[in-house]
Amino acid sequence: MFPDVRLRRLRKGKIRNLVRETTLSVDDLVQPIFVNETIDSAVEIPSMPGIYNIPLSEVVNEAKEIAELGIPAVIIFGVPAFKDAEGSSAYGETDVVQEAVRRIKAELGDELVVITDVCMCEYTSHGHCGIVDFETKEILNDPTLEVIGKIAVSHAKAGADMVAPSCMMDGMVEAIRHALDTNGFENIPIMSYAAKYHSCFYGPFREAAESGYSFGDRSTYQMDPANSDEAIREVTLDVAEGADILIVKPALPYLDIVYRVKVDYGMPTAAYNVSGEYSMIKAAAANGWLDEEKAIYESLISIKRAGADIIITYFAKDAARMLK
């Protein structure tokens, strides 16, 4: 006890660095990329300063910049020219994500891990993450599984290193694992959005990905923010179905979930530092209310401290420059 124990002794100069319990590395980071086949030049997203919709013609340059910063991975989101109720532009051989993956891998090979988001919301005319029964306005679980299996296989055929299902349909990991395995892609890992909450923090993303919904909301398939034990049940099922990496989304409001998932399962755990988390810091910094670099670092180190091995973040490029 005090005065024999003085914890401030270890908070001086370089001693502070020696006893630091958590470190943030560029190797922890994944940079999202929005690839939009309806544009000819990069367009900044108004609600996400510094983040752009990238045309296919520029996606390789964007990927090169990310790789040169030492960031090991990207996750690709597509914005198609055509949408319909079935999301048919999500799984064609020459559709936007497939073409982006093919171009990046042809240029960079193994220099950059290319992860693809497997969902339907960007590709459907109604903006929901699955097949819809328009009479009942129900998002149909089982018919959606067949489609997301096709999407995952099409991404693997294009050269994706990893697929990341985000639709929160029951059985999605099992459906994708079966589809990949039966098509010769048994070595492609699945990074599952295992605990994805129905969150207001996705707002800027929906602008970026043009994935807003035309009716209702996504609360019948994404999780209630009030629930913690349910997240563990979701993760348990995904692990049993063959998930290789587990994602908690969003990150900062759900650090308790990140911690529980890492402690309970001891598996590679990712947290998605989502668009709203990004935009809040950017807006506060623009108004002079926060020191932007310090806020970025404190946010990311807290996610790492909670147990995340991987952080998907729009700050990845900024953080990589800071860490250098």
Side-chain angles (χ1 to χ4, degrees):
M1 299 294 291
F2 178 84
D4 297 319
V5 177
R6 293 178 181 265
L7 294 180
R8 289 181 60 189
R9 292 172 186 148
L10 300 181
R11 295 177 188 159
K12 299 175 183 177
K14 295 295 184 182
I15 296 175
R16 187 182 182 94
N17 295 0
L18 284 172
V19 299
R20 182 165 292 141
E21 299 173 30
T22 306
T23 57
L24 181 68
S25 165
V26 69
D27 289 331
D28 304 326
L29 307 176
V30 177
Q31 175 72 51
I33 301 179
F34 296 105
V35 187
N36 189 325
E37 67 178 351
T38 71
I39 58 177
D40 297 318
S41 59
V43 177
E44 189 171 24
I45 299 156
S47 58
M48 300 177 70
I51 301 298
Y52 292 79
N53 263 301
I54 305 292
L56 275 167
S57 60
E58 296 180 22
V59 72
V60 170
N61 289 337
E62 176 71 8
K64 282 182 176 178
E65 179 187 351
I66 291 165
E68 286 168 1
L69 286 167
I71 297 166
V74 295
I75 184 166
I76 305 292
F77 297 91
V79 181
F82 172 76
K83 301 186 180 195
D84 60 20
E86 292 77 33
S88 61
S89 293
Y91 49 79
E93 183 179 348
T94 59
D95 283 332
V96 59
V97 168
Q98 293 79 355
E99 188 60 30
V101 170
R102 198 174 290 113
R103 293 185 188 194
I104 293 170
K105 295 307 290 185
E107 187 71 26
L108 293 174
D110 293 336
E111 290 181 51
L112 191 68
V113 175
V114 176
I115 307 163
T116 55
D117 180 77
V118 177
C119 197
M120 295 176 63
C121 59
E122 299 106 306
Y123 309 93
T124 55
S125 51
H126 48 75
H128 278 286
C129 301
I131 301 296
V132 171
D133 181 328
F134 287 100
E135 288 188 10
T136 64
K137 300 293 176 70
E138 180 184 358
I139 315 305
L140 301 174
N141 192 94
D142 294 10
T144 300
L145 298 181
E146 181 179 353
V147 179
I148 63 168
K150 289 171 66 176
I151 297 170
V153 169
S154 73
H155 291 176
K157 285 180 177 178
D161 298 296
M162 188 183 305
V163 295
S166 62
C167 61
M168 286 299 285
M169 295 294 123
D170 292 337
M172 66 180 185
V173 173
E174 181 179 41
I176 289 174
R177 185 74 273 159
H178 176 74
L180 290 172
D181 290 358
T182 55
N183 282 276
F185 296 110
E186 62 275 0
N187 291 321
I188 296 294
I190 298 173
M191 182 167 72
S192 174
Y193 290 73
K196 181 178 178 181
Y197 283 84
H198 182 240
S199 172
C200 70
F201 289 97
Y202 305 147
F205 173 93
R206 290 174 185 154
E207 178 188 7
E210 300 179 12
S211 62
Y213 34 81
S214 61
F215 66 88
D217 59 28
R218 294 175 181 156
S219 61
T220 64
Y221 44 102
Q222 295 175 355
M223 287 181 53
D224 185 341
N227 292 355
S228 174
D229 290 343
E230 183 187 7
I232 301 307
R233 295 186 69 193
E234 284 278 8
V235 170
T236 300
L237 291 170
D238 281 11
V239 171
E241 291 173 19
D244 300 285
I245 301 173
L246 307 166
I247 304 177
V248 176
K249 181 180 180 184
L252 292 174
Y254 299 92
L255 295 181
D256 59 321
I257 308 302
V258 176
Y259 177 80
R260 286 192 67 180
V261 169
K262 186 61 181 178
V263 168
D264 287 2
Y265 294 92
M267 286 181 60
T269 301
Y272 200 139
N273 182 220
V274 300
S275 59
E277 299 169 57
Y278 174 90
S279 296
M280 287 193 302
I281 289 177
K282 284 289 186 179
N287 281 281
W289 299 336
L290 287 175
D291 181 306
E292 183 172 339
E293 287 197 358
K294 289 181 179 178
I296 292 170
Y297 177 79
E298 190 172 335
S299 296
L300 299 182
I301 201 70
S302 73
I303 297 167
K304 186 79 182 293
R305 188 186 65 240
D309 305 290
I310 300 164
I311 304 172
I312 305 167
T313 177
Y314 302 96
F315 288 124
K317 290 199 289 186
D318 291 337
R321 294 185 186 103
M322 287 162 46
L323 291 168
K324 281 189 173 182

